[in-house]
Amino acid sequence: MIRAVLLDNEPLALHYFQNKLQTFQQIQVIQTFTSIETFLNELPMIEFDVIFLEVKLQELSGLEIADIIKTERSYVSVVFITTYQEFALQAYEIGGLDYLLKPINHARLAKTITRIEHEFSIQQMLQQHAHTILNVQCFDQFAVYSNKRLVAFKTEKTKELFAYFILHPNIPIHRDYLIEILWPDLDYVRAKSNLHTALSYLRKALNTVGYNNCIVFSNKYYVFEKPNIVCDLYDFQKFYEEFLKLESPPISLIDQCLAIYKNGLFIYDDYEWATTYKDKLTKSYIELLEKGFQKTVLSDIEKAMDFLNRVLEYDPYNEQKLEHYLYTLIQAGLHKQAYSVFQTYRQKLKEDLALTPSSTLLEISKKLFAQHS
């Protein structure tokens, strides 16, 4: 049995709607309210699965009441009943399940009851899977797993929206900004509708795997309240912050960061808005490699050269840094390796850019090799 609560400041309308619900045996109306104050006072003491409420109330609007309910009890379905069409979008944005316009005919109400039943069954399933941990992969290809199974997103934009939230947890994001970055070429009205649809799909996908009420909407801002999930990006950030705090970080910590980073963020996902974030992570990656090179150049030649070669893949034409690397290698007694690095640089410069090393670098390298030959 699905427990229902009704809230409308017009007693006659409330009584009329309660009578209409009596034809649906799966719905049990446990309490009705005409006063917001009374409802809020009794809210902590009553348990219900769905609330039907009017948008236009007195002290607070139905939208505000719904926001309170969804914040405290995300599993409760909210159905608005009203004569006002203009609040429908706001109702859905705060997580409303349906929006019924008075007068309500039986066929339309039956569709709503079907939706409520579906939502109720999902909530029951979620209780059985309350300990499911979501695993989010950001490096290489963006992917989400639940119990080691890939989570399917209904559309690519739904997936991209979640990727954006993952990179910006616990940060208020204006609705219009999401529209601008996800649908830059669409007119505002259509893009806004697309955002609403994508959010609806995303909430359902998260609800299905036990993560309801992660996305909160208030005053035109969305916040992804980071739940208990496993995410390689969050792990990288945690270990990298630890790396920055240490004057001499252990190689094991550097290796741990590099293993998580793999080939980079969203390598197979063309998210233009992520470019700045990618560049920031690439700088962190290079810093890790450089530190690894410095720490191993005297103790593990093979590992040091691996670090250096990976650095040069990302920043191959930086002569100032190359000079530093050459000097470090020569100081460590690795003359052969230094010469090989320089020759590789010279060849790459010629093949890729049809250039030769600057006269300054040629002079410096000549002196370095001469002094330590």
Side-chain angles (χ1 to χ4, degrees):
M1 189 71 73
I2 301 173
R3 299 162 296 178
V5 166
L6 279 56
L7 175 58
D8 195 321
N9 56 4
E10 295 184 8
L12 289 177
L14 193 65
H15 181 70
Y16 172 77
F17 187 69
Q18 185 175 3
N19 285 339
K20 292 190 77 70
L21 284 176
Q22 288 179 355
T23 60
F24 300 93
Q25 296 182 356
Q26 62 271 50
I27 303 294
Q28 178 189 10
V29 178
I30 61 171
Q31 208 156 348
T32 63
F33 296 91
T34 57
S35 165
I36 294 177
E37 183 179 359
T38 303
F39 170 71
L40 292 177
N41 287 337
E42 296 192 23
L43 180 58
M45 283 82 74
I46 55 176
E47 289 293 333
F48 54 98
D49 307 301
V50 60
I51 181 170
F52 297 87
L53 74 163
E54 168 64 64
V55 173
K56 284 283 189 176
L57 297 170
Q58 292 176 348
E59 298 93 339
L60 296 171
S61 72
L63 296 170
E64 291 171 307
I65 295 295
D67 195 32
I68 292 171
I69 294 170
K70 295 299 285 185
T71 299
E72 296 182 359
R73 307 182 188 191
S74 58
Y75 58 86
V76 170
S77 296
V78 177
V79 177
F80 295 93
I81 47 173
T82 184
T83 57
Y84 300 90
Q85 298 184 21
E86 61 267 29
F87 301 106
L89 184 58
Q90 290 175 262
Y92 286 117
E93 284 180 334
I94 61 174
L97 181 68
D98 210 344
Y99 195 89
L100 300 175
L101 292 175
K102 299 176 182 177
I104 303 165
N105 63 55
H106 182 82
R108 180 64 179 86
L109 182 56
K111 290 182 179 180
T112 299
I113 299 302
T114 299
R115 291 182 182 178
I116 293 170
E117 288 181 296
H118 178 67
E119 185 68 19
F120 182 69
S121 66
I122 289 176
Q123 294 302 329
Q124 288 186 315
M125 180 185 67
L126 293 180
Q127 291 179 9
Q128 298 172 1
H129 300 281
H131 300 294
T132 298
I133 299 295
L134 209 61
N135 191 317
V136 180
Q137 174 186 305
C138 294
F139 291 105
D140 284 0
Q141 184 173 8
F142 181 67
V144 183
Y145 298 89
S146 175
N147 290 333
K148 298 183 179 179
R149 293 184 177 181
L150 188 65
V151 175
F153 294 95
K154 193 160 186 177
T155 67
E156 281 299 314
K157 281 298 181 184
T158 303
K159 179 182 175 183
E160 184 177 354
L161 176 61
F162 188 49
Y164 187 87
F165 280 139
I166 286 293
L167 263 62
H168 304 86
N170 304 320
I171 299 173
I173 306 164
H174 198 282
R175 177 184 61 200
D176 291 352
Y177 183 72
L178 289 174
I179 289 172
E180 181 182 340
I181 63 170
L182 294 175
W183 294 277
D185 300 323
L186 289 186
D187 64 87
Y188 181 77
V189 174
R190 187 179 172 190
K192 187 176 179 181
S193 175
N194 284 359
L195 174 62
H196 167 251
T197 301
L199 282 163
S200 177
Y201 290 156
L202 179 55
R203 283 186 170 120
K204 287 179 181 178
L206 293 174
N207 287 348
T208 302
V209 293
Y211 287 81
N212 50 348
N213 205 37
C214 296
I215 303 169
V216 178
F217 179 78
S218 180
N219 296 324
K220 298 183 180 181
Y221 283 85
Y222 289 97
V223 177
F224 174 66
E225 296 183 342
K226 185 173 73 175
N228 181 27
I229 63 175
V230 174
C231 177
D232 56 357
L233 176 61
Y234 299 162
D235 289 342
F236 179 87
Q237 291 171 333
K238 179 181 68 175
F239 292 133
Y240 181 69
E241 286 174 6
E242 186 179 344
F243 163 81
L244 292 177
K245 292 176 183 177
L246 299 174
E247 184 175 344
S248 181
I251 285 295
S252 59
L253 179 60
I254 295 173
D255 285 339
Q256 201 167 15
C257 290
L258 295 176
I260 295 172
Y261 184 89
K262 298 177 184 175
N263 297 301
L265 184 75
F266 299 155
I267 293 299
Y268 303 106
D269 304 281
D270 188 21
Y271 301 151
E272 290 187 10
W273 50 263
T275 301
T276 301
Y277 210 107
K278 285 183 178 182
D279 291 344
K280 180 181 177 182
L281 285 172
T282 299
K283 290 180 181 178
S284 302
Y285 175 71
I286 291 174
E287 185 179 0
L288 287 161
L289 291 173
E290 289 179 332
K291 179 62 74 172
F293 169 64
Q294 294 169 11
K295 288 185 68 65
T296 57
V297 71
L298 294 176
S299 59
D300 189 335
I301 297 173
E302 186 176 347
K303 194 173 184 69
M305 292 309 298
D306 177 62
F307 282 134
L308 181 56
N309 288 330
R310 288 158 74 182
V311 169
L312 294 174
E313 285 179 12
Y314 275 86
D315 195 11
Y317 309 116
N318 191 322
E319 287 199 348
Q320 186 176 1
K321 283 192 173 184
L322 182 67
E323 177 190 337
H324 170 71
Y325 301 146
L326 294 175
Y327 181 78
T328 302
L329 288 170
I330 289 175
Q331 287 293 102
L334 304 176
H335 308 141
K336 180 180 178 181
Q337 288 83 351
Y339 185 75
S340 177
V341 168
F342 177 72
Q343 291 292 67
T344 299
Y345 168 76
R346 175 185 285 185
Q347 187 66 23
K348 186 173 181 61
L349 203 62
K350 179 180 179 181
E351 292 177 354
D352 294 353
L353 305 177
L355 296 175
T356 58
S358 68
S359 57
T360 302
L361 180 62
L362 286 171
E363 186 65 26
I364 291 173
S365 60
K366 183 178 179 181
K367 289 180 180 179
L368 283 173
F369 296 133
Q371 291 173 1
H372 298 88
S373 59

